[in-house]
Amino acid sequence: MTPMRLVVTGAAGRMGRTLVRVIAGSDKCVLAGALERPGAGEIGADVGDLAGVGRLGIAVSDDPLPLLAAADGVLDFTAPAASVELAGLAAQARIVHVIGTTGLSPADLSAIAAAGRHAVIIRSGNMSLGVNLLAAVTRKVAAALDEDFDIEIVEMHHRHKVDAPSGTALMLGEAAAEGRGIALETHAARGRDGHTGARRQGDIGFAVLRGGSVVGEHSVIFAGEGERVEIAHKAEDRTVFARGAVKAALWGRGCKPGVYSMADVLGLGD
């Protein structure tokens, strides 16, 4: 099979540059284009130079249409509005759309689901193998332990992250809720301050830390009377997310239209 032609959007950002480096080092895919938001200072620059892999002859563009028309897939770690727009364009082009964007609203997810009727969309709050294994384990542990074990999710990221809790923390919360057979939206405790009263049994709590250059750390704590179970994942480099995104795109190349998750890609479904 010929190498998969991939477009990276948000190509000048930290994650975009990491994606470019991973694609440049792969023999299963090639970089077909690099996108940035209109007005970005990097428009016109060679994306290989930006990523530190040497000149690739691919200039950063703000026009997605010609790039997507000539591609097999697009890797997208941007912002909700941009991801929704790209989902529609990917559906028109009938290409694979890998979404690592977090902070998506219910309306955003609905629009992405509609685009999934015509394109393969793989969306996850975290693309790493380790985190998706953590989610699978969280689901099973939550199912095995009853409500006498309180569930708390603690996450820490770098000071520049704009959404909280992280998409990964929410993904872990959803996994815990699924294991318990409850709805996360009615059992999430996302803010505690002042005189809150006793913890409500059955809640899934979230604690958010921000600082420094932390790539991503997540812990799920099951706290019972006299004992505590903790499972955790620490990302030390963004490359783990980029490799997962490329793996997802390659997996999606032969799939039917629909919205998939990394659990599907990795065969972690129940």
Side-chain angles (χ1 to χ4, degrees):
M1 184 177 290
T2 58
M4 189 174 187
R5 298 164 298 175
L6 297 175
V7 172
V8 172
T9 187
R14 291 186 298 271
M15 192 64 214
R17 297 182 196 208
T18 305
L19 287 165
V20 170
R21 290 193 290 271
V22 169
I23 293 170
S26 173
D27 59 359
K28 296 181 180 179
C29 55
V30 295
L31 188 66
L35 283 169
E36 260 299 341
R37 67 190 185 284
E42 297 84 2
I43 300 297
D46 188 282
V47 73
D49 288 339
L50 293 176
V53 296
R55 189 167 294 271
L56 294 176
I58 297 176
V60 178
S61 171
D62 61 0
D63 185 359
L65 293 179
L67 298 185
L68 298 186
D72 300 308
V74 57
L75 307 182
D76 170 20
F77 289 73
T78 54
S83 292
V84 168
E85 180 180 1
L86 276 170
L89 296 176
Q92 292 176 29
R94 301 297 195 270
I95 64 174
V96 177
H97 184 190
V98 176
I99 303 175
T101 302
T102 58
L104 296 162
S105 69
D108 296 332
L109 295 176
S110 179
I112 289 169
R117 293 197 290 266
H118 306 286
V120 174
I121 296 176
I122 302 159
R123 186 187 71 81
S124 179
N126 193 299
M127 294 286 171
S128 85
L129 171 60
V131 160
N132 282 278
L133 284 171
L134 176 61
V137 171
T138 295
R139 187 179 299 109
K140 291 184 180 297
V141 175
L145 300 177
D146 60 26
E147 285 191 350
D148 286 340
F149 281 81
D150 301 318
I151 303 175
E152 293 285 321
I153 297 169
V154 182
E155 58 105 334
M156 183 170 186
H157 285 83
H158 53 86
R159 63 169 64 96
H160 303 291
K161 188 166 180 61
V162 298
D163 59 311
S166 68
T168 302
L170 293 173
M171 181 176 78
L172 294 171
E174 288 287 358
E178 288 171 12
R180 284 276 168 91
I182 59 177
L184 181 62
E185 58 265 27
T186 58
H187 288 77
R190 293 177 56 166
R192 297 185 179 120
D193 186 33
H195 193 276
T196 62
R199 188 188 198 282
R200 190 176 70 167
Q201 188 175 34
D203 274 355
I204 297 173
F206 292 85
V208 175
L209 308 177
R210 295 286 179 266
S213 58
V214 177
V215 174
E217 298 183 2
H218 297 85
S219 299
V220 184
I221 303 167
F222 297 85
E225 291 293 332
E227 61 181 330
R228 187 168 68 244
V229 177
E230 298 184 18
I231 48 179
H233 177 269
K234 296 182 179 181
E236 299 175 353
D237 191 296
R238 288 183 179 81
T239 302
V240 298
F241 311 132
R243 288 174 180 160
V246 170
K247 181 180 181 71
L250 293 169
W251 177 86
R253 193 178 191 183
C255 292
K256 296 179 180 179
V259 179
Y260 300 89
S261 70
M262 280 301 288
D264 297 312
V265 175
L266 300 171
L268 295 174
D270 293 332

